[in-house]
Amino acid sequence: MDDMEGEGTIKKFLYLNRKAPYGTVYALESLEVVLIGAAFDQDVSLAFVDDGVYQIRKNHNTKVDSGIGMKDFSKTYRVLEDYDVEKLYVEKESMEERGLTKDDLIVPVEIMDRAQMAALMAEQDVVLSF
Amino acid sequence: MKFAIQVNEGPYQHQASDSAYQFTKAVLEKGHEIFRVFFYHDGVNNASRLTIPPQDDRHIVNRWTDLAKQYNLDLVVCVAAAQRRGMLDDNEAKRAGKDASNMAEGFRISGLGQLIEAGIQADRLVVFGD
């Protein structure tokens, strides 16, 4: 990354996670961007909306003996704070529609309603939608 | 204005791949700048030189190659996403001990940092996905 231009620019990046953790690869590959992106010292937020809220649900069981046989990457969300990624937002309506509460989530988050979520998106410089 | 483009879906299966191309072309024809086009998720498959569409259909891969040549575009394929999906350039094929590569002319393989950098450098990052 020594060919970087414009060092010192800090933008507001929002990673918008909309998809369930398994079934498609979007959630896993979104997380990979977040981890790599952390090296760039930007102002990063993560939002979980729609089925994306399942990404941070506790107790994923995806091991081979469960019949699914995929890597459980949900614990990675817990180490995000070590990467200084600390602003995690969950949309209230998405959570309620799926019968989830804050206690079902694997990481501490801030709950926002749809209007607040829209305002959060509007104030970003870059929205990466997955 | 300076744009960066992210392409998240593969060719022919999803409109996103076509829309990304049409948008990029329109941006350039209007005299704006494309800082980079970054191919992620199944979007990496837009770079396969082994693609053989029917003769009466558009050739999505060659279309990107031609546009890159005309405007000196930076077409970047994410290395992690590419490796998962068997998309290799000569160097990656050699490094991984594979007997073939399939990257079309005009594309290059690099890391996710290139996406974040594009988000920082461009005035707008436009994501084409599902």
Side-chain angles (χ1 to χ4, degrees):
Chain A
M1 282 173 224
D2 41 352
D3 61 341
M4 297 297 307
E5 294 169 36
E7 277 176 79
T9 308
I10 295 181
K11 284 192 172 180
K12 291 171 83 73
F13 274 70
L14 174 69
Y15 295 91
L16 181 61
N17 297 295
R18 304 173 293 133
K19 310 276 174 112
Y22 310 99
T24 64
V25 78
Y26 298 105
L28 173 65
E29 290 192 330
S30 167
L31 196 51
E32 289 181 351
V33 183
V34 175
L35 294 174
I36 298 288
F40 287 77
D41 295 326
Q42 299 295 301
D43 182 1
V44 172
S45 303
L46 267 64
F48 299 87
V49 304
D50 300 343
D51 278 349
V53 298
Y54 289 125
Q55 293 178 21
I56 49 172
R57 197 195 193 292
K58 281 178 188 162
N59 300 323
H60 288 191
N61 180 10
T62 64
K63 300 220 170 55
V64 173
D65 59 11
S66 74
I68 295 171
M70 293 174 82
K71 186 164 95 176
D72 172 8
F73 56 92
S74 64
K75 289 174 185 66
T76 310
Y77 295 101
R78 282 207 201 126
V79 305
L80 285 179
E81 63 173 344
D82 299 336
Y83 289 79
D84 294 324
V85 176
E86 289 165 334
K87 291 190 275 187
L88 275 58
Y89 305 98
V90 174
E91 190 186 71
K92 182 168 171 278
E93 289 87 343
S94 297
M95 213 168 60
E96 288 174 355
E97 283 160 8
R98 288 160 183 82
L100 299 173
T101 70
K102 226 172 169 173
D103 293 337
D104 294 310
L105 305 180
I106 198 168
V107 280
V109 298
E110 187 179 325
I111 311 289
M112 282 186 166
D113 65 25
R114 269 184 188 149
Q116 289 172 310
M117 194 57 84
L120 177 75
M121 289 180 199
E123 71 184 31
Q124 302 300 316
D125 297 309
V126 180
V127 179
L128 292 160
S129 172
F130 294 100
Chain B
M1 190 177 272
K2 200 193 288 184
F3 289 90
I5 308 294
Q6 183 180 344
V7 186
N8 285 344
E9 299 296 342
Y12 303 101
Q13 174 98 350
H14 283 265
Q15 174 66 33
S17 156
D18 285 277
S19 299
Y21 170 80
Q22 302 293 359
F23 182 83
T24 302
K25 189 162 169 280
V27 162
L28 293 163
E29 285 169 356
K30 287 278 181 191
H32 298 290
E33 186 186 336
I34 296 284
F35 178 76
R36 176 170 295 146
V37 183
F38 191 86
F39 296 87
Y40 197 44
H41 301 308
D42 275 356
V44 300
N45 293 311
N46 285 286
S48 173
R49 71 161 181 263
L50 303 184
T51 303
I52 310 171
Q55 291 219 337
D56 57 355
D57 198 357
R58 69 223 187 277
H59 197 307
I60 292 180
V61 179
N62 290 357
R63 214 165 55 170
W64 279 116
T65 297
D66 293 343
L67 199 66
K69 212 173 282 175
Q70 189 183 346
Y71 289 98
N72 197 23
L73 285 182
D74 189 19
L75 307 181
V76 176
V77 176
C78 169
V79 61
Q83 286 179 340
R84 271 194 188 108
R85 293 166 177 83
M87 172 63 57
L88 302 167
D89 64 9
D90 291 343
N91 282 338
E92 288 296 319
K94 211 171 290 170
R95 202 195 325 252
K98 299 293 184 186
D99 61 2
S101 65
N102 54 351
M103 179 131 307
E105 193 188 335
F107 294 84
R108 67 184 179 94
I109 284 192
S110 190
L112 280 165
Q114 300 270 308
L115 171 62
I116 306 297
E117 188 201 15
I120 295 169
Q121 294 298 326
D123 300 310
R124 294 280 189 282
L125 171 71
V126 185
V127 182
F128 292 87
D130 200 8

